[in-house]
Amino acid sequence: MAVLEIRDLYVTVETEAGTTPILNGVTLTIRTGQTHAIMGPNGSGKSTLAYTIAGHPKYQVQSGTITLDGDDVLAMTVDERARAGLFLAMQYPVEIPGVTVTNFLRTAKTAIDGEAPAIRTWTKEVKQSMKNLRMDTKFASRNVNEGFSGGEKKRHEILQLELLKPQIAVLDETDSGLDVDALKIVSEGVNRAKAETDLGVLLITHYTRILRYIHPDFVHVMIGGRIVEEGGPELADRLEDEGYDRFLDAVSEPAVEADA
């Protein structure tokens, strides 16, 4: 069982106004087999947490720790974090002109596993995963995310999740920009990956609609770079009814998230 532990994490980012605090003492533990949902309004620090875990150089850790099975994640390069079992599904997947989906996926799999997958087995697995996600197999020969719709980009993120088989997946607003049908398909992909590999999931979202399909074990409310309340699935239901206003007094000066 893999355990991702975040302890008293403080993170800043450089903005036009200077060094800006974003995360202000986040503590969180995620184990394989668990689904954690982090919810909060825009500017609360959710995406900053995701990108800090992944190792984005824009975000500077001032203090605190992130460990995976006791190993110092903050001392790892981005590729080392991926090989250790961490995965980030981005809110805004980038286009990679000149790199086909087929080459991208096989190169990533080879880098993570340390050896290239057998062609016949790998091709069969890719086709089955694409079928499950209702992706036309023609996408395999297209450049990564180039000309993809928002929903197609998100399906491609979950295709990577299914094929790379990480231990802990951070899903940064995977539901944004999805219609109802695409939301169901993407959610089914996450649930399928979890069932097959005992995946641990950190699901970042504004809304409860994705939680109808990906059921969280734990819900955390983030305001001003802090987790101000934690609970089970019933907490998400309260947020649906009451919104975030009642939490705003929990912090004196909510941080502004530069990437929101």
Side-chain angles (χ1 to χ4, degrees):
M1 178 177 70
V3 182
L4 178 68
E5 292 189 277
I6 302 165
R7 291 285 175 268
D8 204 23
L9 188 66
Y10 286 78
V11 174
T12 62
V13 67
E14 292 299 321
T15 68
E16 293 180 357
T19 302
T20 302
I22 304 294
L23 300 183
N24 300 294
V26 173
T27 294
L28 188 64
T29 300
I30 304 154
R31 294 177 169 84
T32 48
Q34 296 179 344
T35 298
H36 293 249
I38 291 189
M39 305 185 69
N42 283 327
S44 58
K46 304 183 302 301
S47 290
T48 293
L49 177 61
Y51 285 106
T52 301
I53 293 171
H56 196 299
K58 175 180 177 180
Y59 304 99
Q60 300 299 311
V61 175
Q62 301 302 315
S63 62
T65 61
I66 303 176
T67 60
L68 181 64
D69 291 338
D71 294 329
D72 184 3
V73 170
L74 297 178
M76 299 178 187
T77 60
V78 173
D79 59 303
E80 288 172 340
R81 298 181 198 206
R83 284 195 293 270
L86 295 176
F87 176 89
L88 171 65
M90 294 184 286
Q91 181 179 359
Y92 303 110
V94 298
E95 297 182 2
I96 310 178
V99 179
T100 65
V101 169
T102 295
N103 288 337
F104 174 79
L105 292 173
R106 194 161 190 267
T107 300
K109 185 67 171 177
T110 300
I112 287 173
D113 290 355
E115 60 181 3
I119 289 290
R120 182 175 297 179
T121 304
W122 174 249
T123 300
K124 182 179 179 180
E125 189 175 354
V126 171
K127 287 183 177 179
Q128 184 59 54
S129 293
M130 294 184 78
K131 180 180 179 181
N132 291 340
L133 290 164
R134 302 182 197 177
M135 295 180 68
D136 191 320
T137 54
K138 292 180 181 178
F139 277 92
S141 61
R142 292 177 59 178
N143 292 336
V144 174
N145 292 325
E146 194 170 39
F148 287 23
S149 68
E152 289 163 350
K153 289 180 179 180
K154 296 301 178 73
R155 292 189 204 196
H156 182 227
E157 293 288 286
I158 303 307
L159 178 64
Q160 296 170 51
L161 172 66
E162 289 199 55
L163 294 170
L164 300 181
K165 296 178 171 54
Q167 297 187 83
I168 304 289
V170 181
L171 310 181
D172 185 20
E173 297 195 34
T174 299
D175 52 340
S176 65
L178 297 183
D179 61 28
V180 173
D181 290 335
L183 179 63
K184 290 180 180 178
I185 293 167
V186 164
S187 298
E188 288 169 359
V190 175
N191 290 333
R192 191 164 47 246
K194 184 178 177 183
E196 292 176 355
T197 65
D198 202 33
L199 176 71
V201 176
L202 178 60
L203 177 62
I204 294 171
T205 184
H206 291 294
Y207 309 109
T208 59
R209 64 176 191 153
I210 194 171
L211 304 184
R212 300 169 190 165
Y213 307 107
I214 302 174
H215 302 296
D217 301 297
F218 307 94
V219 175
H220 313 269
V221 181
M222 181 175 282
I223 303 287
R226 298 183 179 93
I227 293 175
V228 297
E229 186 161 335
E230 300 175 299
E234 71 283 348
L235 180 53
D237 295 333
R238 288 186 63 190
L239 292 172
E240 179 77 10
D241 294 335
E242 303 173 7
Y244 297 109
D245 286 349
R246 69 187 182 90
F247 297 106
L248 294 178
D249 291 337
V251 290
S252 56
E253 295 183 356
V256 176
E257 186 175 4
D259 59 339

